[in-house]
Amino acid sequence: MMYEKFALIYDALMADAPYDRWMEFFLTMQKKFHPFARTVLDLACGTGEMSIRLAKAGFHVTGVDLSLDMLTVAQQKTSEAGVHIPFFQQNMSELDVPGTFDVIIIFCDSLNYLEEETEVVETLRRCYHVLNPGGLLLFDVHAPQYIETGFIGKTFAYNGDDIAYIWNCFPGAHPYSVEHELTFFVYDEEDDKYFRFDELHKERTFPVEQYQEWLTDSGFTIHTISGDFSGKPVTEQTERIFFTAQKR
């Protein structure tokens, strides 16, 4: 899945995203389990919002994303922010970047965009390979029950001054998977009219026990599994599950 035109409006749609809370989670886990970490790989970095926050906090950051359009926006934002961040266009399951890292993050349910189990396993394996000894892997995924009750069969809509969308959610081809069909209407000031484009985004998640097995088999020690930025155990009401794992 490529974001294409979606990259141009991504930041506007994500204006209320909890970036500060992802940053808080990162800093809490980093200080607790790897206090001397300096190098960070932001995997599925999107338009670089977390990358820039981390760079401003003093970390040496590298960003990777599948979408060239996202990375173009990220590079522009990085220049405007006055920080240096190298970006690479890659599928996370084919991760192959120079150097090694103290921490890898995969936030905003980005791991859920991998449709096949083999892709998730390979991503975890490659993350392990490019982490320094004792390095941390921090990521979040949708809870299985949230895919089924929070998305499937739901329709969302937004009508702003410059952007409007209709978002329909349908069952995916696999258990705990969903297909997001999105139709956008975006105002173009130059032409003084709205243009339409459509996107199909697919997400898939797995039970907590499956992620635990894959992490352990890849060589990680799992420190924490928690729900919804709370630091508390996962429950039936959890929407987003957070993992903290460390390279053995």
Side-chain angles (χ1 to χ4, degrees), residues 200-216:
L200 175 63
H201 296 186
K202 298 180 181 181
E203 288 191 283
R204 182 185 185 185
T205 197
F206 299 89
V208 169
E209 296 76 16
Q210 185 65 82
Y211 288 111
Q212 288 177 289
E213 179 182 331
W214 288 335
L215 286 166
T216 301

Side-chain angles (χ1 to χ4, degrees), residues 138-152:
L138 310 176
F139 66 93
D140 64 76
V141 293
H142 286 310
Q145 66 270 15
Y146 186 62
I147 289 285
E148 297 185 331
T149 63
F151 286 126
I152 292 177

Side-chain angles (χ1 to χ4, degrees), residues 117-136:
E117 294 184 26
T118 54
E119 294 179 294
V120 181
V121 172
E122 184 63 13
T123 297
L124 297 177
R125 189 190 73 80
R126 287 179 181 252
C127 285
Y128 186 90
H129 179 71
V130 300
L131 277 170
N132 292 320
L136 294 179

Side-chain angles (χ1 to χ4, degrees), residues 38-213:
R38 300 315 308 156
T39 55
V40 181
L41 176 61
D42 186 1
L43 199 49
C45 64
T47 62
E49 195 66 30
M50 281 299 300
S51 297
I52 293 170
R53 279 173 161 79
L54 290 163
K56 286 185 173 181
F59 294 93
H60 301 288
V61 185
T62 298
V64 170
D65 200 89
L66 177 62
S67 169
L68 181 59
D69 294 313
M70 287 286 195
L71 293 177
T72 299
V73 176
Q75 191 63 66
Q76 180 179 346
K77 289 169 59 177
T78 298
S79 299
E80 293 171 354
V83 294
H84 173 70
I85 301 172
F87 291 106
F88 297 88
Q89 182 189 13
Q90 293 180 0
N91 186 316
M92 67 178 84
S93 65
E94 299 173 353
L95 179 64
D96 183 18
V97 293
T100 55
F101 305 90
D102 297 323
V103 186
I104 296 175
I105 62 171
I106 315 174
F107 287 159
C108 196
D109 52 86
S110 296
L111 199 64
N112 293 143
Y113 280 89
L114 299 177
E115 293 186 62
E116 302 298 332
E117 294 184 26
T118 54
E119 294 179 294
V120 181
V121 172
E122 184 63 13
T123 297
L124 297 177
R125 189 190 73 80
R126 287 179 181 252
C127 285
Y128 186 90
H129 179 71
V130 300
L131 277 170
N132 292 320
L136 294 179
L137 173 62
L138 310 176
F139 66 93
D140 64 76
V141 293
H142 286 310
Q145 66 270 15
Y146 186 62
I147 289 285
E148 297 185 331
T149 63
F151 286 126
I152 292 177
K154 300 291 181 67
T155 295
F156 307 93
Y158 173 78
N159 186 18
D161 292 335
D162 299 321
I163 301 171
Y165 66 74
I166 301 171
W167 169 9
N168 293 304
C169 305
F170 300 97
H174 306 282
Y176 310 126
S177 67
V178 59
E179 295 188 3
H180 306 285
E181 292 186 0
L182 299 113
T183 299
F184 293 94
F185 300 91
V186 181
Y187 180 66
D188 186 329
E189 290 186 0
E190 186 174 332
D191 292 336
D192 191 26
K193 64 180 180 181
Y194 286 84
F195 67 90
R196 169 183 169 167
F197 65 91
D198 300 280
E199 294 270 339
L200 175 63
H201 296 186
K202 298 180 181 181
E203 288 191 283
R204 182 185 185 185
T205 197
F206 299 89
V208 169
E209 296 76 16
Q210 185 65 82
Y211 288 111
Q212 288 177 289
E213 179 182 331

Side-chain angles (χ1 to χ4, degrees), residues 17-27 50 53 229:
Y19 290 114
D20 289 341
R21 302 193 71 183
W22 275 306
M23 191 68 182
E24 181 182 359
F25 173 76
F26 169 88
L27 291 173
M50 281 299 300
R53 279 173 161 79
F229 296 103

